[in-house]
Amino acid sequence: MKQASTSTSQLGVMNFLNEVSFQYPAAVSFASGRPREEFFDVAGWIESIARFCEHDASTRHEDAASSLRRLAQYGPTNGVINALVAEQIGCDEGVVCSPERLIVTTGCQEAIALSLQALCADRGDTVLALNPTYIGVTGAAIGAGIELQPLDSDPGASLPALLARKTGALREQGKRARAFYVIPEFDNPTGTVITLDDRRAILEFCASNEIAILEDNTYRMFRFEGDARPTLAELDEYGCVVYLHTYSKTLCPAVRVGCAVVPKTLFGDAAASRNLLASMSENKSFLTVNTSQFNQALVGGVLLAENGSLQRLTRPATGFYRANRDTLVECLETHFGSESEGVSWNRPEGGFFLTLELPFEFAAPEMMECASEYGAIVMPMSFFSLDGSYRNRVRFAYSNLSGDEIRRGIERFAAYARAKIAGAAPCIA
Amino acid sequence: MKQASTSTSQLGVMNFLNEVSFQYPAAVSFASGRPREEFFDVAGWIESIARFCEHDASTRHEDAASSLRRLAQYGPTNGVINALVAEQIGCDEGVVCSPERLIVTTGCQEAIALSLQALCADRGDTVLALNPTYIGVTGAAIGAGIELQPLDSDPGASLPALLARKTGALREQGKRARAFYVIPEFDNPTGTVITLDDRRAILEFCASNEIAILEDNTYRMFRFEGDARPTLAELDEYGCVVYLHTYSKTLCPAVRVGCAVVPKTLFGDAAASRNLLASMSENKSFLTVNTSQFNQALVGGVLLAENGSLQRLTRPATGFYRANRDTLVECLETHFGSESEGVSWNRPEGGFFLTLELPFEFAAPEMMECASEYGAIVMPMSFFSLDGSYRNRVRFAYSNLSGDEIRRGIERFAAYARAKIAGAAPCIA
């Protein structure tokens, strides 16, 4: 944790976000990518703890009360619902794995931290990430004293070409790219999807350079239209991919249950893969001991009730997020439809986030200004940037708002943007 | 996490322990300091989530269902039951603190890891610990790449003298003692209690040398007889003590809820204390985001039902542990009562652990031999040693056994020990 005190620009973003939301409670907030609460069946999910216990008891030929008491104890570091989780990611994500390759973690965030720590154990070991990228990987790397290097921002270059360029530059500095963190489906913060061709090329490049791919698949269940691309883990013939998964969005954040799956062989080496898992497991035992078995039982009980797939359960929320995406895009077309405005955006096929480009800079002062004077909170994309770039872009999270809130929020944001474009926006000292 | 791959002797102990228990399922195991399951009221505790929600809803003037849904979301990094936890440790432990100084963690283990990371951020920053000490602090230090130094094993020297000697030696090496980890009441692994005089002297020494004391108070509620000494936190006039607390033993391990309390001023500096808490909070947000609010609500609901004190709830378990301590000591007197045996032990006033000294070496091979040939699993004290010492001592955990199991286990262990003393114990290649 040696760099923790030297770099705070990324670390402060989370707190800043929370503060700005509290500071302007009347503002419409597009800041936070939270799942929609009306789809939480919390009481039903808590009851599913008992369902898991009955299942567990029947496999052990004991009564459910004994099973519940045993669950309340310390348990295996790597988890107790591994088989059910493996079944679900096999069924829903095409990621076929044996439960022994899976470690149940205290949310996906712990899975990221453990993966980075285990893969980047030597001096000069570096993690690559798209630029901009998820704050959680930046923070986990800083916290562990591991260097995180962004891929260059070169719209003309392909992803594999950017990877090759960065890897070569690191090598010249005596450093080594050991991992590449990526959210291939409905990226946080950009909402984009990596093409099938790029996925294959990334895998080939990473395999031949022995760079592990940390595939974070948090948003993949929320596809609005079109066909899902296979995950990198499914395409992986080389033993490149550490697959990261979470129930924070499909169920709810308070379950704090996620997982990491190590490849069958790490770059063809079965012992290296076992060592990777063992290292993650050891580090976990000294961070969180084991993931709460109550929370594991809750998730396990839901998976049992749903016969191993979360597609039925996530369908209503996916419909809601799609309607919100539609409302958001419609509002943007209404307010910024004219090309002369110089405002453009993507149309995400799924997930929680949309990227918008502005003809003016939108950083922390503009965020505060827009929140305080116009009542809309929008995230500057530069907050997620690893080199301070993307100062003209913003992230809209549309997952936890009603249609009316989106309409009101975009009307306010548009008023701000038009005033800014006209050079008439008030200044904050 | 730079040293993780270089030191595995301590890291392997946990796994070794689990394996040996699985390997000899018929053996009586004194290995693991687990709370007794028959005192878990799991169904009742899960229902207490609803109690916390009603309380939370009434303070916010909303309905309990809304409160439950909000709890299911992401929440404040530092927790939502801080006021209830502060009330309990004030009531039961004499540790008076404002909720703002408290961070709710995913078990005490996370509190240890976060404290170490925040206090030892610079090169040469070192943690001191008694020798032997709890494996969890050793592992957390190794995992974070922080040097852990044992106090010397000098039975003639006082604790403050040992602290002074080690601190001076480190200074000569250009290093700096930044923290001293200690379990003052019913220590794991030794079961001992630090005297009031030593507590005061430790505080004075640490204050004048700006060494933070990490006071781990996991076992203090389980006192069998005599008066409790005040905690270091209660005695602290200097702003030395970071107080670590857990509900894993008073309730059950699966709650995975603990906390750390920073001092009001760190060595007299209020800003330094705020910075310490902020650093721990930032690191937590990138390790576990926030402690599961379901688990927090469960603990909060129990604290509400118990009016802020866990004394009533822990009394039956304390009686059980006391009876077990009595049975264990009686059995030891029966089997090793003659002084000529050269076997001696302490009589812990509380907690889960007893130390026994043998007239022969008892390390990993002897542990396996005793488990496989005699059917009793006992922990070599050298597993907890930071310098390989204490090879003639063992730790007995008596918390999770019936009286009959203790009698049977000690009979077996005594048979092994007598054979060993007589030079007749079988050898394992």
Side-chain angles (χ1 to χ4, degrees):
Chain A
M1 304 287 152
K2 297 303 177 192
Q3 295 181 12
S5 57
T6 60
S7 176
T8 53
S9 62
Q10 297 291 330
L11 289 170
V13 169
M14 291 276 208
N15 288 336
F16 181 79
L17 252 179
N18 283 330
E19 276 169 32
V20 81
S21 295
F22 285 123
Q23 213 171 336
Y24 307 106
V28 174
S29 175
F30 294 94
S32 169
R34 296 181 166 204
R36 183 70 173 173
E37 286 158 29
E38 67 192 66
F39 301 103
F40 297 170
D41 175 22
V42 186
W45 293 344
I46 289 175
E47 280 171 23
S48 72
I49 294 174
R51 186 182 305 108
F52 178 80
C53 287
E54 281 163 29
H55 164 82
D56 186 54
S58 72
T59 62
R60 293 170 187 268
H61 308 291
E62 65 183 18
D63 59 278
S66 305
S67 168
L68 188 56
R69 276 201 301 272
R70 199 168 22 71
L71 272 177
Q73 265 297 5
Y74 294 104
T77 307
N78 289 11
V80 290
I81 58 167
N82 307 48
L84 292 168
V85 174
E87 182 188 12
Q88 190 254 318
I89 61 177
C91 188
D92 290 338
E93 315 283 8
V95 179
V96 178
C97 75
S98 68
E100 293 71 31
R101 285 199 278 128
L102 191 150
I103 177 168
V104 179
T105 54
T106 304
C108 186
Q109 187 62 40
E110 191 190 34
I112 293 172
L114 295 174
S115 304
L116 290 183
Q117 289 162 12
L119 288 165
C120 301
D122 296 325
R123 187 178 294 274
D125 286 353
T126 305
V127 189
L128 309 179
L130 299 181
N131 191 26
T133 194
Y134 168 53
I135 292 172
V137 71
T138 317
I142 291 171
I146 297 165
E147 186 177 343
L148 183 74
Q149 279 281 341
L151 299 193
D152 297 331
S153 309
D154 178 349
S158 71
L159 248 175
L162 292 173
L163 272 171
R165 193 192 295 173
K166 180 62 74 179
T167 304
L170 284 172
R171 206 176 287 127
E172 281 172 24
Q173 298 169 42
K175 297 173 184 170
R176 191 175 162 193
R178 290 301 300 261
F180 172 44
Y181 173 84
V182 63
I183 307 176
E185 205 89 344
F186 320 131
D187 179 39
N188 177 7
T190 63
T192 54
V193 172
I194 295 179
T195 66
L196 184 56
D197 283 350
D198 272 356
R199 290 179 195 222
R200 294 194 200 280
I202 290 168
L203 278 163
E204 262 180 52
F205 178 81
C206 287
S208 58
N209 288 273
E210 298 207 344
I211 299 169
I213 299 171
L214 302 181
E215 179 177 28
D216 182 343
N217 216 350
T218 296
Y219 304 98
R220 192 170 183 274
M221 292 292 284
F222 305 104
R223 173 168 280 282
F224 308 148
E225 61 238 348
D227 292 329
R229 279 73 160 177
T231 60
L232 289 158
E234 187 179 355
L235 294 169
D236 182 19
E237 303 166 16
Y238 316 98
C240 280
V241 177
V242 177
Y243 186 78
L244 309 174
H245 183 65
T246 179
Y247 294 99
S248 289
K249 306 299 195 280
T250 47
L251 298 185
C252 65
V255 299
R256 310 307 312 125
V257 173
C259 77
V261 183
V262 301
K264 200 168 179 178
T265 69
L266 187 62
F267 311 119
D269 183 344
S273 181
R274 281 194 300 274
N275 288 343
L276 173 63
L277 188 66
S279 170
M280 292 169 68
S281 179
E282 278 179 349
N283 270 329
K284 176 172 173 62
S285 76
F286 296 116
L287 284 177
T288 57
V289 184
N290 57 250
T291 300
S292 166
Q293 297 190 142
F294 290 155
N295 303 30
Q296 290 189 68
L298 186 156
V299 171
V302 173
L303 293 176
L304 285 166
E306 299 292 324
N307 291 312
S309 165
L310 291 181
Q311 289 190 18
R312 189 200 68 85
L313 194 145
T314 53
R315 201 165 295 136
T318 304
F320 177 88
Y321 299 140
R322 182 178 54 232
N324 273 3
R325 188 274 321 259
D326 290 343
T327 303
L328 175 56
V329 170
E330 276 166 31
C331 290
L332 291 172
E333 281 166 359
T334 302
H335 290 284
F336 300 108
S338 157
E339 274 190 29
S340 62
E341 299 269 22
V343 179
S344 61
W345 56 89
N346 65 342
R347 181 186 169 86
E349 291 169 34
F352 289 14
F353 306 107
L354 175 145
T355 303
L356 182 123
E357 186 158 2
L358 291 162
F360 57 88
E361 183 168 305
F362 192 98
E366 289 77 16
M367 176 183 176
M368 302 295 279
E369 191 176 63
C370 184
S372 64
E373 306 291 325
Y374 290 82
I377 304 176
V378 175
M379 276 292 276
M381 194 63 87
S382 55
F383 282 12
F384 306 101
S385 169
L386 295 159
D387 57 5
S389 58
Y390 299 106
R391 298 184 70 84
N392 281 22
R393 292 190 199 181
V394 293
R395 183 190 82 169
F396 284 88
Y398 51 79
S399 52
N400 196 20
L401 293 168
S402 69
D404 276 350
E405 286 171 323
I406 292 175
R407 278 182 281 271
R408 198 160 63 243
I410 294 300
E411 194 176 331
R412 294 172 181 184
F413 175 77
Y416 171 77
R418 273 196 301 271
K420 196 82 181 166
I421 291 168
C427 282
I428 285 179
Chain B
M1 304 284 154
K2 297 302 177 193
Q3 295 180 14
S5 57
T6 60
S7 175
T8 54
S9 61
Q10 296 291 329
L11 290 170
V13 169
M14 292 276 208
N15 289 337
F16 181 79
L17 253 179
N18 283 331
E19 276 169 30
V20 82
S21 295
F22 285 123
Q23 214 171 333
Y24 306 107
V28 174
S29 175
F30 294 93
S32 169
R34 296 181 166 205
R36 183 70 173 172
E37 285 158 29
E38 68 192 65
F39 300 103
F40 297 170
D41 175 23
V42 185
W45 294 343
I46 289 174
E47 281 171 22
S48 72
I49 295 175
R51 185 182 307 108
F52 178 80
C53 287
E54 281 163 29
H55 164 82
D56 186 54
S58 71
T59 63
R60 293 170 188 268
H61 307 290
E62 65 182 18
D63 60 280
S66 304
S67 168
L68 188 57
R69 276 202 300 272
R70 198 166 25 69
L71 273 177
Q73 265 296 4
Y74 293 104
T77 308
N78 289 10
V80 290
I81 58 168
N82 307 48
L84 292 167
V85 174
E87 182 188 13
Q88 190 254 316
I89 61 178
C91 189
D92 290 338
E93 314 284 8
V95 179
V96 178
C97 76
S98 67
E100 292 71 32
R101 284 198 279 128
L102 191 150
I103 177 168
V104 179
T105 54
T106 305
C108 187
Q109 187 61 41
E110 190 190 35
I112 294 172
L114 294 174
S115 304
L116 291 182
Q117 289 162 11
L119 288 164
C120 302
D122 296 325
R123 187 178 294 273
D125 286 354
T126 305
V127 188
L128 309 178
L130 299 181
N131 191 25
T133 194
Y134 169 53
I135 292 172
V137 70
T138 317
I142 292 172
I146 297 166
E147 186 177 343
L148 183 74
Q149 278 282 342
L151 298 192
D152 296 332
S153 311
D154 178 348
S158 70
L159 247 176
L162 292 174
L163 272 172
R165 193 191 296 173
K166 182 60 76 178
T167 305
L170 284 172
R171 207 175 288 127
E172 280 173 23
Q173 297 169 45
K175 297 173 184 171
R176 192 175 161 193
R178 291 300 301 261
F180 172 43
Y181 173 84
V182 63
I183 307 177
E185 206 89 343
F186 320 132
D187 179 39
N188 177 8
T190 63
T192 53
V193 172
I194 295 179
T195 66
L196 184 55
D197 283 349
D198 271 357
R199 290 180 196 221
R200 293 193 199 281
I202 289 168
L203 278 163
E204 262 179 53
F205 178 82
C206 287
S208 57
N209 288 273
E210 298 208 342
I211 299 169
I213 298 171
L214 301 182
E215 179 178 28
D216 182 341
N217 216 349
T218 295
Y219 303 98
R220 192 170 182 274
M221 293 292 285
F222 306 105
R223 172 168 280 281
F224 307 149
E225 60 239 347
D227 293 329
R229 278 73 159 177
T231 60
L232 290 159
E234 187 179 354
L235 296 168
D236 182 19
E237 302 165 17
Y238 315 97
C240 280
V241 177
V242 176
Y243 186 79
L244 309 174
H245 183 66
T246 179
Y247 293 99
S248 289
K249 306 300 194 281
T250 47
L251 298 185
C252 66
V255 301
R256 309 306 314 125
V257 173
C259 77
V261 182
V262 301
K264 199 168 180 178
T265 68
L266 188 62
F267 312 118
D269 183 343
S273 181
R274 282 195 301 275
N275 288 343
L276 173 62
L277 187 66
S279 170
M280 293 169 68
S281 179
E282 278 179 350
N283 270 329
K284 177 172 172 61
S285 76
F286 296 117
L287 284 176
T288 57
V289 184
N290 57 250
T291 300
S292 167
Q293 299 192 139
F294 290 154
N295 303 29
Q296 290 190 68
L298 186 157
V299 171
V302 173
L303 293 176
L304 285 166
E306 300 292 325
N307 291 312
S309 166
L310 292 181
Q311 290 191 18
R312 188 200 69 84
L313 194 146
T314 53
R315 201 166 294 137
T318 304
F320 177 88
Y321 300 140
R322 183 180 51 230
N324 273 3
R325 187 275 320 260
D326 291 343
T327 304
L328 175 56
V329 170
E330 276 166 31
C331 290
L332 291 172
E333 281 167 359
T334 301
H335 290 284
F336 300 108
S338 157
E339 275 188 28
S340 63
E341 299 270 21
V343 179
S344 61
W345 56 90
N346 65 343
R347 181 186 170 86
E349 291 168 36
F352 289 15
F353 307 107
L354 175 146
T355 303
L356 182 123
E357 186 158 1
L358 291 163
F360 57 88
E361 183 168 306
F362 192 98
E366 290 77 18
M367 176 183 176
M368 302 294 280
E369 191 176 63
C370 184
S372 65
E373 306 291 325
Y374 289 81
I377 304 175
V378 175
M379 276 293 274
M381 195 62 87
S382 55
F383 283 11
F384 305 101
S385 169
L386 295 159
D387 57 5
S389 58
Y390 298 105
R391 299 185 70 84
N392 281 23
R393 293 191 199 182
V394 293
R395 183 191 82 169
F396 283 89
Y398 51 79
S399 53
N400 197 20
L401 293 168
S402 69
D404 277 349
E405 286 170 323
I406 291 174
R407 279 183 279 272
R408 197 160 63 244
I410 294 300
E411 195 176 333
R412 294 172 180 184
F413 175 76
Y416 170 79
R418 273 196 300 272
K420 196 82 182 167
I421 291 167
C427 282
I428 286 179

